[in-house]
Every structure is written in structure tokens, then in C-alpha cells.
């Protein structure tokens, strides 16, 4: 054969062609990868812009439910939520913590409702007692002694706890807590007949019922047994009942 003439053999030519096609394929794959990477980055950037900067997903309305004692305007003001804030930026936990500082609020749930609404669901404390207010009038208090509202006239349907103290002084008080615990354990019919309740000590809860009947209930234990004993005893139409001691009752 002819050697050194500079003419590539068929095998060498085929190899060069394969190499060129491989390089071209790698370039096309590289361009495709770069294109898809740029497209993905663009999508992410657009999503970030929509969430954090677009006027489409900002707080346009706030719905408040569950309020009776607290004005909705107060809930909105305390929440710290500013209309027009991107919904994704609203710190729902912080807003809930602020609202829970309102005395009448027991708990609250703050959630986002896409695309542009915030939902606030409030659970208020429930009044169970009436306290003579320090300085005049009456305070409505919940089972923990938290004052929920001040009124000038004593409302019907709530028993009186005749202890005058500055507002907040009875919050968590063990005597008051025992009294409200007993109220919560009473059968509905008996509870509705309670006009006042006292507790000089947590184990000396005393009920004063309609018609001038007095019941020494004692502590918060054995509520069901005491209620059944009292129901039987009250058939005697007496004025005083003592169901505080286990297995021993007193009637006068």
C-alpha cells in the first residue's frame, strides 16, 4: 500500500466522524441542560415574586369569628396584621400570641386562606360567676377568676361569689377555683338553682339555693355521689343539708 501520503484510512475517517458527532451531542445536551436550568430558575424567581411581592397575594380581608365579648375591631388591632402585607409574610403564630393577651380570649387560631384572606377564629372565656366589683357594680368572671366584663346590674342566671377584691386579685385563687369546679360538676337542674356560692376554704364550698336552702358541699370530690344524696335529702324540704362527709349527711 501507499504509506505516508497523508490520506486517512477508512477506519480513521469513521473514527473522526464518530468523535465529531459525540462532541456535537455533548454540546446539544449541555445547551439543553443550561436551558432547563435557566427555565427552572425563572420559574422559581417568578414563584418567589408572586408570593412575596405580587399584589395578587396580599392580605385583602381578615375574617374574625367567635367573638361576643370582644369587639372584632379590637382583635384586628391587637393582631398587628397590616392589610396589603404579602400573605406569606404574615406571622400567624405571633398574631395569635398577641390576640391571646386579650383577657376575654381563651385561645385563638390564625390561618391563611389563599389567595388573599386571613382567618381568625377566637374562643372566648365563658362567664360562670358574678363578683361584686371593687368600687361598685359587678364583674363577670370565668372559672379561673378572670374578669371578662363589668356591668352595673347583677345579671340573672349566674351565681354570686360574694367576695370583693381588686380586679385580677382572684385570678387563680384556690377557693374560687374550688367553687367554680363544684359548679361545673353539679347537675344542670341543681346548678340553675344556685343563687350564690362561697368557699372560705377549698374543702368548704357552700351553695345557697333558691328558696333560702343552704348546702354544705365540701370539696370537689365525689360529685356524682353527693348529687344523688342531695336529691334524696331535698325531698324532706329542709333548709340546710350537709353532704360534705363521706357516708354521712346532715339535715336541718
Amino acid at each position: 500500500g501507499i504509506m505516508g501520503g497523508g490520506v486517512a484510512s477508512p477506519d480513521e475517517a469513521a473514527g473522526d466522524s464518530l468523535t465529531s458527532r459525540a462532541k456535537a451531542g455533548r454540546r446539544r445536551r449541555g445547551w439543553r441542560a443550561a436551558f432547563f436550568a435557566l427555565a427552572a430558575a425563572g420559574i422559581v424567581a417568578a414563584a418567589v415574586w408572586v408570593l412575596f411581592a405580587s399584589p395578587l397575594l396580599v392580605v385583602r380581608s381578615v375574617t374574625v369569628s367567635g367573638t361576643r365579648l370582644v369587639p372584632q375591631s379590637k382583635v384586628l388591632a391587637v393582631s398587628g396584621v397590616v392589610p396589603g402585607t404579602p400573605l406569606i409574610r404574615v406571622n400567624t403564630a405571633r398574631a395569635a400570641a398577641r390576640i391571646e393577651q386579650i383577657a376575654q380570649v381563651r385561645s385563638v387560631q390564625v390561618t391563611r386562606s389563599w389567595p388573599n384572606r386571613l382567618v381568625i377564629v377566637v374562643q372566648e372565656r365563658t362567664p360562670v360567676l358574678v363578683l361584686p366589683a371593687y368600687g361598685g357594680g359587678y364583674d363577670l368572671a370565668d372559672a379561673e377568676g378572670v374578669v371578662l366584663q363589668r356591668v352595673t346590674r347583677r345579671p340573672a342566671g349566674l351565681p354570686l361569689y360574694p367576695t370583693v377584691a381588686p380586679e385580677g386579685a382572684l385570678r387563680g385563687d384556690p377557693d374560687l377555683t374550688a367553687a367554680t369546679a363544684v359548679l361545673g360538676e353539679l347537675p344542670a337542674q341543681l346548678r340553675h338553682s344556685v343563687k350564690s356560692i362561697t368557699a372560705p376554704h377549698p374543702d368548704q364550698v357552700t351553695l345557697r339555693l333558691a328558696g333560702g336552702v343552704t348546702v354544705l358541699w365540701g370539696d370537689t370530690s365525689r360529685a356524682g355521689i353527693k348529687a344523688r344524696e342531695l336529691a334524696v335529702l331535698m325531698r324532706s324540704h329542709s333548709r340546710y343539708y350537709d353532704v360534705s362527709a363521706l357516708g354521712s349527711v346532715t339535715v336541718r
Side-chain angles (χ1 to χ4, degrees):
I2 302 173
M3 304 294 295
V7 179
S9 67
D11 290 344
E12 291 174 337
D16 290 344
S17 178
L18 288 171
T19 301
S20 298
R21 286 199 297 273
K23 290 180 179 179
R26 285 196 295 271
R27 284 196 297 271
R28 284 194 297 272
R29 288 194 295 272
W31 281 110
R32 282 199 297 269
F35 172 79
F36 287 121
L38 288 172
I43 291 171
V44 170
V48 170
W49 180 83
V50 168
L51 286 173
F52 289 91
S54 170
L56 300 175
L57 300 180
V58 300
V59 177
R60 294 189 181 277
S61 64
V62 182
T63 301
V64 180
S65 63
T67 55
R68 188 174 59 88
L69 299 173
V70 186
Q72 292 187 358
S73 57
K74 182 174 182 178
V75 173
L76 291 173
V78 172
S79 72
V81 176
V82 179
T85 302
L87 195 57
I88 193 67
R89 291 185 181 273
V90 175
N91 189 324
T92 55
R94 184 182 301 167
R98 288 172 173 169
I99 297 169
E100 285 177 348
Q101 297 304 308
I102 301 173
Q104 294 89 344
V105 174
R106 176 174 294 278
S107 64
V108 64
Q109 185 177 25
V110 181
T111 55
R112 301 180 185 90
S113 179
W114 298 98
N116 53 24
R117 186 161 61 103
L118 199 69
V119 177
I120 301 175
V121 179
V122 175
Q123 183 180 3
E124 292 185 332
R125 295 176 179 271
T126 303
V128 297
L129 284 175
V130 178
L131 308 174
Y134 192 75
Y138 296 91
D139 287 333
L140 276 58
D142 77 340
E144 298 174 1
V146 178
V147 173
L148 309 180
Q149 188 178 7
R150 177 161 293 184
V151 294
T152 56
R153 293 184 178 183
R154 178 182 170 183
L158 292 178
L160 178 70
Y161 187 80
T163 300
V164 180
E167 184 173 338
L170 293 176
R171 184 167 185 168
D173 178 79
D175 298 338
L176 183 142
T177 301
T180 57
V182 167
L183 284 175
E185 294 166 348
L186 295 177
Q189 185 175 359
L190 179 59
R191 183 171 63 250
H192 293 154
S193 69
V194 177
K195 295 303 180 183
S196 68
I197 184 168
T198 57
H201 192 273
D203 64 359
Q204 296 175 8
V205 177
T206 301
L207 314 174
R208 288 177 174 81
L209 311 182
V213 175
T214 300
V215 179
L216 178 56
W217 187 268
D219 61 19
T220 59
S221 67
R222 304 179 296 108
I225 296 173
K226 291 177 181 179
R228 288 191 294 271
E229 289 178 346
L230 184 60
V232 173
L233 293 171
M234 289 184 71
R235 295 173 187 169
S236 65
H237 302 288
S238 299
R239 309 283 292 178
Y240 178 86
Y241 306 96
D242 180 353
V243 293
S244 61
L246 179 63
S248 175
V249 296
T250 302
V251 178
R252 290 203 301 267

